[in-house]
Amino acid sequence: MKVMAQMGMVMNLDKCIGCHTCSVTCKQAWTNRGGVEYVWFNNVETRPGQGYPRRYQDQDQWRGGWVRTKRGRLRLRAGGRFRKLLSIFANPVLPNIKDYYEPWTYDYETLTNAPLGDDFPVAQPKSLLSGKPMSVEWSANWDDDLGGAPEHGESDPIVERIRRESEDKIRFEYERAFMFYLPRICEHCLNPSCVASCPSGAMYKRVEDGIVLVDQDQCRGWRMCVTGCPYKKVYFNHRTGKAEKCTLCYPRVEVGLPTVCSETCVGRLRYLGLFLYDADRVTAAASVADEKELYQAQLDLLLDPDDPEVIAAARRDGIAEDWLDAARRSPVYKLAKVYKVALPLHPEFRTMPMVWYVPPLSPVVDRLVETGHDGEDVGNLFGAIDALRIPIEYLAELFTAGDPEPVRTVLQKLAAMRSYMRDVTLGRPANDAVAEAAGMTGAEILEMYRLLAIAKYEERYVIPTAYEGQAHELEEIGCSLDVDGGPGMGGSGPFGEASGRPAPVSVETFHALRQRQTSDDLVDPGERGATVNLLNWDGKGRPAGLFPPSRTDHPAPIGTTEPETRP
Amino acid sequence: MTTLDVVLWGVLPYVTCAVLVGGTLWRYRYDKFGWTTRSSQLYESRLLRIGSPLFHFGLLVVIVGHVIGLLIPKSWTDAAGLSQEGYHLQALLLGTIAGISTLVGIGILIYRRRTTGPVFMATTKNDKLMYVVLVAAIVAGLATTLLGASGGDEHNYRLTVSPWFRSLFVLQPDIEAMSRAGIAFHLHTLIGMALSAVWPFTRLVHAFTAPLQYLFRPYIVYRSRESGTASRAPRRGWDRV
């Protein structure tokens, strides 16, 4: 057993309202640059729908992820090492920019330069790739909220697959339509096929927290990773010629802050925390013969952080105590492994994805209420889950390789929680039979309810900061010349203003954000008179270094410091 | 043997070599971020998938041809029982096929570059210069291959160019042998040296990092976080804005 830690995420789809705040803040933070205009590290897609890039889930077309060979070994679906090198001069299955969308801007200048006339001037869309006028025909969220579903909905690969089995099961008529939102980031897989596809070895999984990153200095732009990732979450920066991907906001996570998408999520539906897993068994778990057993195999990889044997092995493998503590408090471990209400996205890709989803129950409840039933009665709910087979089959294709059973169990647990908690909230005696019907106890339901419904910031994001052994490096070590009146006074280094080593951006950001979050007043005397990153400052609080150090301790009498030397 | 011969075949090769090696080291040290294929496949795939393999595989055969022609002495192939005519036949056959596919390949790629809007937009001046030198080298090379077929000692590069090329490595350049070669060979060699000299400063550097190690490494790469926080230890330089 080799214990490794993995930073994971759980998203509760019941709460997602599809507001795209996560996408927008992520884009502002990471991809508001040339060359990645079309890139959304975080995107929210409406299901059913084609997704982004279009039909990315159809691996017959895009050839991402792993396949199991007849001899039971794993092989990249796009071909092994030799095949990769032979096709390196022109990747046979690279998505075209049109499969994402052609980025554009508007010719705003005509709005101000147009001559006077009867017509209003119009800002024409212009392609950011060719600079030519273009007609906007597709974008990252063109089919948002089932927009165009009667026409495009059939192109959803999952709809296609379910249709093959039964012509009648999925309809896009208004009366029979259903939808939910699926926010997606990089899955930071345990068995990442993008990493395996990179010929240069520029992509790697971080040993400490399992975050999958691209070494920008080592990437040579062979673009095999784009093909290798079945979720199409590695993107090609067409300006720099390098691959880029979601970083799980590692500069934030390293100092204990949640990712930007989690921090800004309006519905507070994201959870961040640690998984401990057995790295020795990953390949074996990913090679399970039956696709439908992949979910269970993935669950079995996750180790119980309270098990003394696991703790001993983790200590042996160099996992710090505060990380073990964080693993014990991990909300994602509880949702995925203890309550078993979070499911991985497309386990059949065999990459062991580490972003998990609590499937949505709401359409079931809404449907019951519409038909005049009591939407929160457990009997009705359980019955409805089975009767409304459309969502279950669809969800099963997304989360359990088509096996409806785990999805049904999860939905029953969520339904039981609603029913149980209604009794509690209305002051009626709690009905433990409801809990038992879903295979839980009343106490468990209460705990799960607490985590899903009212967990606070610190409970939703349990993120251990940088390692104990490196903790001292996080502290800013004062300059020895930084004494009153010394040459280092005011944050200058030994060779004048801004010389010496700058404070790491993550440290600076951490201090600025902490100050902003904790300060009530607008003025807070700072100590260091260095520079401050105004981009991190929103006017609230006073980050250290915004103004020079206060001189109120020894006020200089006006007029005495500079004697007049007029001739 | 004139002064010009000495400069062209005795001095220039070493200058070129210094620029190639020094430039590559410099580029690798200071511009790892710019060291990439700068692929434009995202914009256009159809023509690239014909042109690019045609060009690259053609070029690989051309490189093998150069290695055989320049590094293996005539005496060796003679000893192996390969007659001059036999050698020429295979060199002509292989060289012409490889040369033409390289030329057709780069032709398709340049046509694609010029006619596909986004690809043309992404073409830098550096690229344009590189294409001129590269195409010139290929055309001149193909010309020498065809000339070599016509026979005659002045076109037999294995008696002129190859001994000179090998003599460069032992720092005893055989300038006299090279000066006997025909004008086409002189031209091709000069363009070749120009290509080597600009190589480190163009996108062609990606060839130096051909990822052969991929065949031997485990699929999943793990890396430990570098010490400190964020990406890397801060370097001396301008403050971040």
Side-chain angles (χ1 to χ4, degrees):
Chain A
M1 180 160 62
K2 169 147 179 62
V3 183
M4 286 178 85
Q6 167 77 41
M7 186 56 67
M9 187 185 279
V10 169
M11 300 190 213
N12 184 356
L13 297 185
D14 245 346
K15 292 188 182 182
C16 185
I17 57 170
C19 67
H20 301 284
T21 307
C22 47
S23 306
V24 172
T25 49
C26 172
K27 189 146 185 65
Q28 291 288 11
W30 290 105
T31 56
N32 57 351
R33 297 166 283 133
V36 283
E37 309 92 344
Y38 75 100
V39 170
W40 297 83
F41 288 167
N42 180 106
N43 75 295
V44 184
E45 48 200 45
T46 305
R47 309 305 320 201
Q50 297 192 53
Y52 159 84
R54 279 192 246 193
R55 296 173 51 78
Y56 69 94
Q57 288 150 312
D58 183 1
Q59 301 313 332
D60 292 336
Q61 184 184 359
W62 298 118
R63 319 211 54 76
W66 303 89
V67 282
R68 186 177 184 276
T69 61
K70 276 178 195 145
R71 289 188 302 158
R73 301 186 57 184
L74 284 186
R75 191 173 58 77
L76 288 168
R77 194 185 284 268
R81 294 182 169 94
F82 271 106
R83 183 107 173 253
K84 280 248 147 57
L85 286 195
L86 284 179
S87 61
I88 203 164
F89 301 130
N91 186 339
V93 274
L94 187 77
N96 187 269
I97 188 79
K98 296 268 165 67
D99 292 308
Y100 300 90
Y101 64 97
E102 187 170 352
W104 73 89
T105 182
Y106 292 96
D107 184 13
Y108 294 108
E109 221 181 344
T110 46
L111 296 182
T112 51
N113 285 354
L116 272 180
D118 290 337
D119 304 320
F120 283 105
V122 172
Q124 249 192 327
K126 271 191 164 177
S127 166
L128 281 171
L129 299 182
S130 65
K132 304 250 160 54
M134 62 174 274
S135 69
V136 179
E137 282 163 3
W138 192 262
S139 170
N141 277 300
W142 218 238
D143 52 1
D144 212 13
D145 292 345
L146 294 184
E151 198 178 321
H152 296 298
E154 329 248 320
S155 312
D156 178 344
I158 297 177
V159 171
E160 271 181 0
R161 203 172 313 150
I162 298 175
R163 279 261 169 94
R164 270 203 294 274
E165 282 152 27
S166 160
E167 197 57 38
D168 199 37
K169 285 219 168 111
I170 294 212
R171 294 285 175 136
F172 290 109
E173 286 93 52
Y174 182 73
E175 297 79 16
R176 298 186 59 181
F178 71 96
M179 68 167 192
F180 60 95
Y181 301 103
L182 184 71
R184 292 201 304 125
I185 62 168
C186 165
E187 302 282 339
H188 298 278
C189 306
L190 297 186
N191 189 31
S193 51
C194 56
V195 172
S197 302
C198 175
S200 309
M203 293 193 73
Y204 59 97
K205 191 165 178 64
R206 279 213 308 201
V207 176
E208 290 83 357
D209 48 18
I211 297 178
V212 176
L213 293 171
V214 184
D215 183 338
Q216 292 286 304
D217 277 352
Q218 221 180 318
C219 172
R220 306 280 173 240
W222 304 118
R223 53 206 185 278
M224 292 299 170
C225 51
V226 182
T227 306
C229 174
Y231 303 94
K232 290 292 167 281
K233 277 292 171 191
V234 189
Y235 302 90
F236 188 71
N237 181 326
H238 58 86
R239 284 269 191 85
T240 63
K242 306 255 168 173
E244 294 189 20
K245 65 179 288 299
C246 159
T247 62
L248 205 68
C249 290
Y250 72 90
R252 290 173 60 92
V253 166
E254 280 173 8
V255 294
L257 294 169
T259 64
V260 169
C261 53
S262 309
E263 171 92 51
T264 59
C265 176
V266 179
R268 301 182 178 183
L269 60 91
R270 300 198 188 216
Y271 298 80
L272 275 166
L274 283 185
F275 291 115
L276 296 181
Y277 70 100
D278 185 357
D280 283 342
R281 286 193 288 125
V282 171
T283 309
S287 329
V288 168
D290 184 1
E291 283 186 350
K292 292 181 179 169
E293 280 165 24
L294 280 164
Y295 163 56
Q296 188 57 46
Q298 187 165 335
L299 270 189
D300 292 342
L301 278 183
L302 305 181
L303 301 171
D304 179 3
D306 288 311
D307 181 349
E309 224 175 283
V310 171
I311 294 174
R315 284 188 183 132
R316 182 200 64 207
D317 294 332
I319 295 178
E321 284 307 317
D322 56 341
W323 279 60
L324 286 176
D325 179 52
R328 281 188 285 272
R329 292 184 290 118
S330 168
V332 295
Y333 177 78
K334 285 195 187 109
L335 291 171
K337 180 91 186 241
V338 179
Y339 307 135
K340 293 194 178 61
V341 290
L343 302 169
L345 182 65
H346 288 300
E348 72 272 22
F349 297 160
R350 297 180 184 272
T351 60
M352 303 274 128
M354 279 296 125
V355 174
W356 303 62
Y357 293 90
V358 179
L361 178 69
S362 290
V364 182
V365 180
D366 293 345
R367 192 63 201 264
L368 278 172
V369 175
E370 277 164 24
T371 49
H373 291 87
D374 179 352
E376 290 186 332
D377 179 85
V378 77
N380 286 346
L381 272 171
F382 279 19
I385 289 168
D386 274 330
L388 290 175
R389 292 182 57 84
I390 306 165
I392 279 220
E393 285 184 358
Y394 194 93
L395 294 172
E397 289 289 345
L398 273 184
F399 299 122
T400 52
D403 183 7
E405 215 38 61
V407 179
R408 182 177 297 126
T409 316
V410 172
L411 292 183
Q412 282 179 354
K413 282 180 182 168
L414 296 177
M417 183 181 77
R418 272 177 197 254
S419 190
Y420 185 88
M421 286 313 298
R422 184 171 67 160
D423 287 341
V424 173
T425 318
L426 294 180
R428 296 199 294 237
N431 184 357
D432 277 347
V434 170
E436 277 152 29
M440 299 179 84
T441 65
E444 267 181 337
I445 285 215
L446 277 172
E447 265 177 60
M448 184 168 87
Y449 163 77
R450 199 185 143 63
L451 191 54
L452 284 178
I454 51 178
K456 298 295 177 217
Y457 195 88
E458 308 79 37
E459 292 164 85
R460 280 180 284 130
Y461 312 127
V462 181
I463 305 165
T465 52
Y467 313 101
E468 281 181 333
Q470 295 176 346
H472 67 280
E473 290 176 25
L474 285 176
E475 296 158 15
E476 289 198 75
I477 300 159
C479 174
S480 59
L481 298 173
D482 228 356
V483 291
D484 196 23
M489 186 63 187
S492 285
F495 304 112
E497 174 64 31
S499 70
R501 289 154 69 89
V505 170
S506 55
V507 172
E508 192 183 291
T509 312
F510 175 68
H511 286 299
L513 282 173
R514 191 178 57 178
Q515 176 136 28
R516 179 169 72 76
Q517 282 165 347
T518 53
S519 86
D520 295 324
D521 52 359
L522 288 172
V523 180
D524 182 18
E527 293 151 8
R528 287 172 60 86
T531 51
V532 68
N533 186 350
L534 284 175
L535 290 174
N536 289 329
W537 186 62
D538 65 352
K540 207 181 156 200
R542 208 193 80 170
L546 188 61
F547 298 111
S550 163
R551 289 171 194 271
T552 46
D553 289 348
H554 7 252
I558 296 163
T560 55
T561 45
E562 276 183 60
E564 287 189 3
T565 51
R566 215 173 268 159
Chain B
M1 198 165 72
T2 62
T3 319
L4 187 65
D5 281 333
V6 174
V7 171
L8 289 186
W9 318 121
V11 179
L12 206 53
Y14 292 108
V15 174
T16 307
C17 182
V19 173
L20 178 65
V21 174
T24 306
L25 287 176
W26 172 81
R27 179 91 188 264
Y28 189 75
R29 244 178 94 62
Y30 288 100
D31 188 30
K32 276 188 203 149
F33 184 64
W35 194 295
T36 147
T37 57
R38 291 235 329 277
S39 163
S40 56
Q41 194 181 356
L42 195 67
Y43 305 137
E44 200 280 345
S45 214
R46 202 175 49 87
L47 282 173
L48 184 95
R49 285 193 57 198
I50 306 168
S52 180
L54 208 55
F55 168 73
H56 282 95
F57 283 117
L59 204 60
L60 287 180
V61 177
V62 166
I63 289 169
V64 170
H66 276 75
V67 169
I68 295 174
L70 291 175
L71 291 185
I72 299 179
K74 186 167 181 294
S75 54
W76 292 17
T77 52
D78 286 348
L82 188 63
S83 71
Q84 177 65 16
E85 289 72 37
Y87 176 85
H88 260 295
L89 192 66
Q90 66 89 18
L92 180 70
L93 210 66
L94 212 65
T96 312
I97 294 173
I100 287 179
S101 66
T102 309
L103 195 61
V104 170
I106 202 167
I108 294 174
L109 291 178
I110 292 175
Y111 170 78
R112 163 183 179 272
R113 194 157 275 279
R114 184 62 193 86
T115 52
T116 314
V119 187
F120 188 55
M121 277 273 283
T123 308
T124 62
K125 282 188 182 136
N126 184 312
D127 292 341
K128 288 173 188 165
L129 174 77
M130 183 272 294
Y131 273 112
V132 169
V133 181
L134 190 59
V135 171
I138 295 170
V139 170
L142 201 55
T144 59
T145 308
L146 297 175
L147 274 178
S150 66
D153 267 2
E154 66 157 12
H155 298 311
N156 188 351
Y157 54 87
R158 292 205 298 163
L159 296 176
T160 53
V161 184
S162 306
W164 165 76
F165 184 76
R166 289 193 296 270
S167 68
L168 289 174
F169 291 95
V170 291
L171 305 180
Q172 299 285 331
D174 189 351
I175 300 166
E176 202 267 330
M178 184 60 183
S179 63
R180 273 189 285 115
I183 178 79
F185 289 100
H186 283 169
L187 209 60
H188 177 54
T189 310
L190 283 177
I191 298 171
M193 285 198 273
L195 184 64
S196 308
V198 298
W199 194 286
F201 311 104
T202 63
R203 64 201 298 181
L204 296 176
V205 284
H206 72 266
F208 289 150
T209 46
L212 294 174
Q213 76 277 11
Y214 183 51
L215 294 173
F216 309 105
R217 70 144 222 254
Y219 266 139
I220 309 293
V221 179
Y222 292 92
R223 263 198 231 177
S224 195
R225 195 178 65 176
E226 286 165 36
S227 62
T229 50
S231 51
R232 71 175 87 187
R235 291 174 179 168
R236 264 192 69 77
W238 296 100
D239 260 353
R240 296 187 199 207
V241 183

